[in-house]
Amino acid sequence: SNQSAVVNCAAFGNISDSCGIDDSFSAVGGVVGYSSGAVYACYSDSDLHIDYSSYEDGADVPIGGVVGGTSYMAAAYNCYFNSDAKQSYYGGEVSEPVAVGYDAINYTPSDNEHCEGLSESGIYGAALLEKLSAALEEDQLSAAQAWFTDQQLFSGDVTLDGYLFMTDAGWNSWEKDSSGRLLPTGPSSNFPEEPDCFDGGDGSKADPYVISTEEHLRAFAAALDDY
């Protein structure tokens, strides 16, 4: 929560919640369990289970390939999961697996419009690489920013670009490891734009930024308002 963002992440393995049946804050997700923040450009390949009863073949259970449950009925954009992986609950298996699970607080299905389940071949083929690579392009980032703001997951000056600025060298690109899994370990494909308020330097220890005028100092202070 608190306007957080999980970006450019992959998750694997089996996850099970046996903490008690029908706990409203209990949820199982491939990347995030229970979320009040934003999840972007992530995917999972996980078998999931939650001890939660269902009256609608799993459609009313807080379990999802990316996010288990939400408090805003929205959480993820440009996220993907292995739709062939198992999503099960107390006494059964979800008939139609989803990326973002049921909002058990508001008794409402969560928004899955901008997420997608891919088959096993899609997860380990070229399709996922194309989708996650496209998610790092400016037009997709802008569309996600608008959606997160509209869904009240971001407010004020909080932006994906602001989170990008907090990283050392942008978000890594995606590449396959020796087992065929797609991981965000490639060269950085996005770089934060430095504020135009310095008289020199590159921000390193050897060559720090130079602020030489009042205008530079005021511009630097204003730039920090966005982060």
Side-chain angles (χ1 to χ4, degrees):
S1 60
N2 297 320
Q3 306 197 84
S4 63
V6 178
V7 180
N8 237 32
C9 293
F12 311 93
N14 302 326
I15 304 171
S16 180
D17 177 358
S18 304
C19 295
I21 296 175
D22 298 349
D23 178 354
S24 295
F25 290 98
S26 183
V28 171
V31 178
V32 180
Y34 187 83
S35 176
S36 297
V39 185
Y40 183 70
C42 297
Y43 87 99
S44 76
D45 179 13
S46 305
D47 285 331
L48 309 172
H49 174 78
I50 185 170
D51 278 348
Y52 204 98
S53 56
S54 174
Y55 303 95
E56 299 180 19
D57 294 327
D60 54 349
V61 172
I63 188 170
V66 179
V67 177
T70 76
S71 57
Y72 286 97
M73 295 169 282
Y77 196 104
N78 281 351
C79 290
Y80 308 92
F81 71 101
N82 185 350
S83 57
D84 290 332
K86 184 182 296 185
Q87 294 183 16
S88 60
Y89 56 90
Y90 184 78
E93 189 170 332
V94 175
S95 58
E96 295 185 20
V98 294
V100 184
Y102 188 76
D103 182 347
I105 301 298
N106 296 293
Y107 304 105
T108 306
S110 298
D111 192 323
N112 278 271
E113 181 180 356
H114 301 289
C115 299
E116 183 181 356
L118 300 175
S119 66
E120 184 92 9
S121 61
I123 287 289
Y124 289 93
L128 182 61
L129 175 59
E130 293 177 2
K131 292 175 184 293
L132 290 173
S133 297
L136 296 179
E137 297 176 1
E138 189 57 41
D139 60 335
Q140 293 286 345
L141 287 166
S142 296
Q145 173 65 45
W147 188 79
F148 287 137
T149 301
D150 183 66
Q151 300 298 318
Q152 300 181 3
L153 299 176
F154 289 163
S155 64
D157 294 327
V158 176
T159 65
L160 285 171
D161 283 341
Y163 287 116
L164 176 63
F165 189 80
M166 296 177 188
T167 67
D168 291 332
W171 291 319
N172 285 21
S173 57
W174 294 83
E175 62 181 5
K176 288 192 175 183
D177 68 2
S178 59
S179 68
R181 298 186 307 181
L182 200 60
L183 299 175
T185 54
S188 296
S189 58
N190 298 73
F191 295 91
E193 293 186 10
E194 301 292 355
D196 185 19
C197 50
F198 302 117
D199 198 28
D202 61 12
S204 66
K205 184 176 181 180
D207 188 18
Y209 291 125
V210 177
I211 295 176
S212 58
T213 68
E214 179 182 344
E215 288 72 21
H216 288 150
L217 183 60
R218 290 188 180 278
F220 178 66
L224 295 179
D225 289 342
D226 294 331
Y227 307 106

